[in-house]
Amino acid sequence: MSEIDLETARKVAHLARIAVPEDNLPALAQELSQILTFMEELNEVDVEGVEPMTSVTPMRLKRRKDAVTDGDMQPKILSNAPDAREGFFAVPKVVE
């Protein structure tokens, strides 16, 4: 079992940019120790022959042909805009 001391817990809190009062450091150290213990348990799992996954569901992203188009849909695109002026989307001013 990995034990995190108070100094390491203090350093982790500092690196994480979280303010941990001195009297809460023992609890943080204990929680970090429990996390490391759990990670050590996971290292014992036999994953031989298990393929790495990016998702729990086998999905493939839909792909489209990578083709250059001439665009030429400005009126169609601007028809969806709540406010369009002079061929552009009109948006509220946010900087004075």
Side-chain angles (χ1 to χ4, degrees), residues 84-96:
R85 299 178 196 158
E86 301 176 18
F88 297 97
F89 288 98
V91 295
K93 184 177 182 179
V94 293
V95 178
E96 296 284 332

Side-chain angles (χ1 to χ4, degrees), residues 2-95:
S2 297
E3 279 295 319
I4 301 294
D5 60 10
L6 294 181
E7 188 57 39
T8 303
R10 186 180 291 110
K11 185 174 182 178
V12 168
H14 174 74
L15 292 172
R17 306 284 194 266
I18 54 175
V20 178
E22 195 67 29
D23 55 332
N24 289 354
L25 281 176
L28 177 63
Q30 182 180 7
E31 288 180 33
L32 292 173
S33 295
Q34 290 172 347
I35 291 169
L36 288 178
T37 300
F38 181 69
M39 290 174 63
E40 289 171 355
E41 289 177 25
L42 289 178
N43 284 334
E44 297 173 8
V45 175
D46 180 21
V47 293
E48 187 70 32
V50 177
E51 292 293 320
M53 301 185 325
T54 57
S55 174
V56 293
T57 57
M59 296 180 0
R60 291 201 37 97
L61 295 175
K62 293 181 180 178
R63 303 196 186 269
R64 62 173 172 77
K65 186 177 178 184
D66 189 15
V68 177
T69 63
D70 61 353
D72 199 28
M73 296 188 298
Q74 185 181 22
K76 183 177 178 184
I77 292 171
L78 289 176
S79 70
N80 293 317
D83 189 8
R85 299 178 196 158
E86 301 176 18
F88 297 97
F89 288 98
V91 295
K93 184 177 182 179
V94 293
V95 178

